[in-house]
């Protein structure tokens, strides 16, 4: 019989790696699930990261205070790993149950407690358990080997790397989130059976875990389907499909079939008003549309209506997710040869299309609800559209509004999008209605903006709309509605220009949606916008004064320098991660598929940084200062990368992706090295102090996730965010330069 003992350090390393795998797997699964429930909303992404990091920081701090008094660290490790494994599927069950109880409808962003408390209850236990593992493993390695903190950090990062890359490339493309969480729960519990004092054959628990996983595969899939059915209690859920781009759901209600992607409705069967509006009101704007491009809109009957226009020779329809075009979602496949489907990112395809290709380009998207969608409403994208349009071409899109009363928040959003269009197109026209239609042309001409004009054009083309007949069009396009729309935009409180680097339309859309759901959240967002700039300046000035005080207060400068440097590095690393994810989405499409890969590359950087730190001499003063200089340079490098990426993609999209991947790797490498250097500076890798440093690192990351993801990018823009990160990292460098040496012998 084989009993596996963890008394030897080398036998602890696989356990640390497995723990890192479970921690990161739980994080990736929860991030993807919350994105799927919220329509890919980056606010929910940032809140998920914030809660995770705060809870992990709390777990690390509490564990660092307790672990030195633990008489049986192996027993504590077994209990922690068992709880962590069980928490993976339980967190998903908790999230869905509380979402249903709080009225969170899939695909929406609820207000107040309905948003915060389900995330808090589902994520906090998993985060606390994950954070508490680091000091515990340091305690286990302390004594038999040198550099226990460095080695724990290294092998935990290796496990995180395997989880990030493995989930994105192997498991998530073919398995549902709950199924993966269930399998990892079984395999995690199996590892506990392999820890010290277990008198069983080593491979027997693994065989049992694999057998149970295979036997429960269908059951786990059904549980995941039930979790989504919980969020639509009065609607029959007929199909749930996990894809690399999100979760697709098909529902039936009163004879209508609806298709949802990440909670957002992308198609409703027999919705004639929507199909006619998305086709005829746009195609009527061109005297003879022959070449037409739609971004989105493959489902729902709009294409069939567009094909009724006799001049149409070709309509290209772009969809990011190819599975939406599968026969199980296309109930009546379009057989007309004029319809062509293009798979990929809309901006990339338009950017790569020949100049002056299309007579009409239409966005069939739900508006700038996320930063990823906001990239279709920026000056940069409008210039790409202008390039792809013929000289008499027309560009259009619709934004949800109101036919009767336009609220102040909606007016600001409409005014911003109108001002952004006017930066590129000389002719801009807005048509009122429940969906305000934006029209833009690159040459002088008159849009069909009245009922008489649109009805006359459709009659000439032998098209008789069943819903948007002359009566409804006359009511929608009445002079009083045009005047109300004009007055609302003229009196709008905000009229910004939306850009890739400053996606203000995303923030305005969040305020509009929050006002519809719960006014309190909208008021909070508006208040945060007002105080953001003065609060940021006060913080940076206060931090600068504090840095100067620490430099002159020599007594505790080493510990304070280590604490401040680690916290700042955590803040900067997560901020750059979020910036990188935003940039990746702007240039390459959905980040849903790439969350695990980008996170895995960051963790790979941490591992490489850990290896490099282990190879360094005890006196690493110069290298630590150099690493801090790289943290100052990285924000500027990102801005250069972000600004030059369109030209890079035009030459080689593969090179562009590779640069983003390399950037994430470098961020992780610098962050990992600096953490370990500061652990030596403060305490020579003493366990309790290192656990506290780990908590500070996570706390800094939590602050970065909340400020950068929620506020500074959409409100201040990328450039000001970059400058703030540079200033923030200069202060730790001054502290390190003030110290004569950071040479501290690491504990044996």
């Amino acid at each position: 019989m084989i009993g596996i003992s963890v008394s030897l350090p080398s036998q602890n390393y696989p356990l640390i790696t497995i723990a890192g795998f479970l921690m990161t797997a739980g994080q990736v699964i929860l991030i993807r699930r919350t994105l799927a429930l919220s329509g890919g909303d980056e606010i929910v992404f940032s809140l998920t990261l914030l809660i995770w990091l705060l809870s992990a920081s709390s777990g690390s701090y509490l564990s660092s205070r307790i672990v030195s008094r633990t008489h049986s660290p192996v027993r504590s490790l077994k209990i922690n790993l068992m709880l962590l494994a069980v928490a993976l599927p339980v967190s998903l069950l908790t999230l869905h149950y509380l979402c249903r109880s709080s009225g969170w409808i899939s695909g929406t962003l609820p207000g107040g407690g309905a948003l915060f408390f389900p995330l808090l209850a589902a994520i906090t236990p998993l985060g606390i358990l994950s954070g508490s593992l680091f000091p515990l493993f340091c305690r286990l390695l302390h004594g038999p080997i040198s550099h226990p903190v460095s080695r724990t950090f290294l092998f935990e990062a290796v496990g995180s790397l395997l989880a990030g890359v493995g989930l994105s490339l192997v498991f998530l493309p073919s398995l549902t989130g709950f199924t993966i969480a269930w399998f990892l729960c079984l395999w995690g519990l199996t590892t506990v059976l392999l820890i010290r004092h277990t008198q069983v054959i080593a491979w027997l628990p693994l065989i049992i875990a694999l057998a149970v996983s295979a036997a429960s595969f269908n059951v786990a899939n059904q549980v995941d389907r039930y979790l989504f059915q919980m969020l639509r209690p009065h609607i029959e859920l007929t199909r749930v499909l996990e894809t690399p781009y999100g979760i697709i759901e098909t529902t039936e209600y009163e004879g209508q079939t609806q298709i949802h992607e990440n909670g957002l409705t992308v198609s409703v069967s027999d919705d004639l008003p929507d199909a006619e509006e998305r086709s005829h009101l746009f195609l009527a704007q061109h005297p003879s549309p022959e070449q037409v491009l739609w971004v989105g809109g493959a489902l729902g009957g709009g294409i069939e209506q567009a094909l009724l226009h006799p001049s149409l020779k070709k309509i290209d329809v772009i969809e990011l997710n190819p599975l939406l075009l599968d026969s199980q979602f296309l109930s009546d496949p379009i057989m007309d040869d004029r319809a062509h489907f293009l798979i990929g990112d809309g901006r990339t395809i338009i950017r790569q299309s020949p100049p002056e290709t299309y007579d009409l380009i239409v966005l069939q998207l739900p508006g700038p609800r996320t930063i990823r969608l906001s990239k279709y409403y920026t000056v940069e994208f409008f210039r790409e559209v202008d390039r792809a349009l013929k000289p008499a071409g027309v560009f259009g899109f619709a934004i949800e509004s109101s036919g009767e009363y336009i609220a102040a928040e909606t007016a600001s959003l409409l005014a911003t999008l109108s001002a952004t269009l006017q930066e590129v197109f000389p002719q801009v026209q807005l048509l009122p209605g429940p969906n305000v239609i934006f029209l833009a042309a690159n040459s002088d001409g008159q849009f069909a903006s009245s009922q008489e004009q649109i009805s006359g054009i459709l009659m000439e083309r032998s098209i008789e709309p069943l819903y948007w007949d002359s009566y409804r069009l006359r009511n929608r396009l009445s002079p009083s509605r045009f005047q109300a729309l004009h007055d609302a935009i003229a009196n709008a409180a905000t009229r910004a220009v939306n850009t890739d680097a400053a996606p203000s339309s995303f923030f305005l859309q969040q305020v509009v949606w929050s006002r519809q759901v719960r006014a309190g959240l909208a008021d909070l967002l508006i208040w945060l916008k007002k105080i953001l700039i003065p609060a940021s300046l006060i913080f940076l000035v206060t931090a600068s004064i504090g840095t100067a005080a620490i430099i002159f207060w020599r007594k505790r400068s080493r510990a304070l320098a280590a604490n401040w440097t680690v916290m700042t590095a955590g803040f900067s690393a997560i901020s750059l991660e979020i910036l990188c994810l935003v940039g990746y989405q702007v240039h390459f499409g959905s980040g849903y598929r790439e969350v695990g890969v980008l996170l895995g590359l960051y963790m790979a950087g941490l591992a490489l940084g850990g290896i490099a730190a282990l190879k360094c001499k005890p006196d690493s003063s110069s290298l630590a200062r150099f690493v801090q200089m790289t943290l100052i340079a990285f924000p500027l490098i990102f801005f250069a990368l972000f600004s030059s990426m369109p030209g890079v993609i035009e030459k080689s999209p593969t090179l562009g992706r590779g640069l983003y991947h390399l950037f994430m790797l470098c961020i992780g490498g610098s962050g990992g090295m600096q953490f370990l250097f500061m652990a030596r500076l403060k305490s020579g890798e003493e366990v309790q102090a290192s656990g506290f440093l780990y908590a500070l690192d996570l706390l800094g990351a939590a602050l970065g996730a909340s400020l950068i993801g929620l506020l500074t990018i959409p409100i201040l823009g990328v450039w000001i965010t970059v400058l703030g990160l540079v200033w923030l990292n200069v202060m730790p460098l001054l502290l390190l330069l003030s110290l004569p040496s950071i040479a501290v012998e690491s504990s044996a």
Side-chain angles (χ1 to χ4, degrees), residues 395-406:
F395 171 57
F397 57 86
I399 297 294
E400 183 179 356
S401 178
S402 171
E404 304 296 334
Y405 169 74
I406 299 176

Side-chain angles (χ1 to χ4, degrees), residues 4 6 10 17 28 81 144 160 203 232 264 268 384 404 421 453 455 530 532 559 575 582 637 648 690 699 731 738:
I4 294 184
V6 293
S10 61
T17 304
V28 171
L81 282 175
S160 298
W203 44 261
R232 305 181 189 276
L264 296 176
V268 179
E384 293 166 358
E404 304 296 334
L421 272 176
Q453 290 174 308
S455 296
K530 290 180 180 178
L532 179 61
S575 300
V582 169
I637 293 173
V648 174
S690 298
L699 178 61
M731 290 177 276
S738 70

Side-chain angles (χ1 to χ4, degrees), residues 541-563:
V541 170
T542 303
S544 300
I545 295 173
T547 300
I550 294 172
I551 291 174
F552 290 103
W553 184 27
R554 296 284 182 173
K555 185 177 179 181
R556 298 186 60 193
S557 58
R558 296 177 68 89
L560 289 173
N563 293 342

Side-chain angles (χ1 to χ4, degrees), residues 136-342:
L136 183 58
F137 278 119
C138 291
R139 169 73 170 82
L140 284 172
L141 295 183
H142 188 71
I145 63 170
S146 61
H147 306 299
V149 175
S150 300
R151 295 180 189 277
T152 300
F153 192 82
L154 168 62
F155 285 98
E156 185 181 279
V158 170
S160 298
L161 165 64
L162 295 175
V165 176
L167 286 176
S168 295
L169 301 182
V170 180
F171 296 109
L172 284 170
S174 55
L175 300 176
T176 67
F178 183 82
T179 302
I180 297 171
W182 172 244
F183 287 176
L184 292 178
C185 173
L186 294 175
W187 300 340
L189 291 175
T190 300
T191 63
V192 177
L193 297 177
L194 300 178
I195 297 179
R196 192 179 181 182
H197 302 314
T198 303
Q199 299 301 314
V200 294
I201 298 176
W203 44 261
L204 182 59
L206 294 175
I207 294 178
I208 295 174
L210 290 173
V212 174
S213 299
S216 59
F217 177 77
N218 290 330
V219 175
N221 282 334
Q222 290 301 315
V223 170
D224 214 5
R225 177 171 175 173
Y226 172 74
L227 292 178
F228 282 96
Q229 179 68 75
M230 287 174 59
L231 302 180
R232 305 181 189 276
H234 306 297
I235 302 175
E236 181 186 359
L237 183 65
T238 58
R239 188 180 296 109
V240 178
L241 180 63
E242 181 93 30
T243 77
Y245 302 93
I247 295 176
I248 301 176
E249 303 168 77
T250 305
T251 60
E252 297 282 346
Y253 181 70
E254 295 184 350
Q256 272 194 331
T257 300
Q258 296 186 350
I259 298 174
H260 315 268
E261 185 179 25
N262 284 341
L264 296 176
T265 302
V266 296
S267 170
V268 179
S269 66
D270 303 323
D271 189 357
L272 189 61
D274 178 71
E276 290 184 347
E277 177 181 349
R278 291 192 294 116
S279 56
H280 301 319
L281 269 62
F282 287 106
L283 270 79
Q285 304 303 322
H286 194 281
S288 181
E290 296 182 354
Q291 305 288 331
V292 175
L293 173 68
W294 281 8
V295 180
L299 306 177
I303 297 175
E304 290 85 347
Q305 293 293 322
L307 291 171
L308 296 176
H309 291 254
S311 64
L312 187 65
K313 294 181 179 179
K314 182 181 180 183
I315 178 170
D316 290 333
V317 182
I318 302 173
E319 281 292 349
L320 180 65
N321 193 343
L323 291 175
L324 283 174
L325 305 177
D326 192 87
S327 58
Q328 60 183 317
F329 300 113
L330 283 173
S331 55
D332 297 313
I334 299 173
M335 306 305 294
D336 198 307
D337 292 337
R338 292 176 294 171
H340 299 263
F341 296 100
L342 308 177

Side-chain angles (χ1 to χ4, degrees), residues 583-646:
Y584 194 94
Q585 289 192 125
V586 167
H587 295 124
F588 296 104
S590 173
Y592 184 89
R593 178 180 59 174
E594 301 294 331
V595 167
V597 173
L598 293 175
L599 182 60
L601 287 168
Y602 175 76
M603 293 301 175
L606 290 179
L608 293 175
I611 294 172
L614 282 171
K615 300 292 185 181
C616 292
K617 298 178 180 179
D619 185 359
S620 305
S621 306
S622 299
L623 190 53
R625 292 160 185 158
F626 173 77
V627 171
Q628 188 61 38
M629 291 178 187
T630 66
L631 293 174
I632 294 173
F634 279 146
L636 299 174
I637 293 173
F638 171 80
F639 188 79
L641 180 67
F642 183 85
S643 302
S644 62
M645 187 53 63

Side-chain angles (χ1 to χ4, degrees), residues 27-28 30-36 38-53 104 109 115 119 123 371 506 574-575 577-582 585 591-592 594-596 598-599 704-706 708-710 713:
Q27 188 178 8
V28 171
L30 278 173
I31 287 175
R32 284 174 59 103
R33 182 55 55 95
T34 54
L35 285 174
S38 62
D41 198 296
E42 284 85 2
I43 282 185
V44 175
F45 171 77
S46 296
L47 276 177
T48 302
L49 273 181
L50 171 64
I51 296 170
W52 175 279
L53 293 166
W104 184 345
L109 181 65
L115 169 65
L119 295 176
I123 297 169
I371 293 179
F506 162 67
I574 199 70
S575 300
E577 278 190 71
I578 293 174
L579 284 168
C580 195
L581 182 61
V582 169
Q585 289 192 125
Y592 184 89
E594 301 294 331
V595 167
L598 293 175
L599 182 60
S706 58
I708 302 300
L710 295 176
I713 294 177

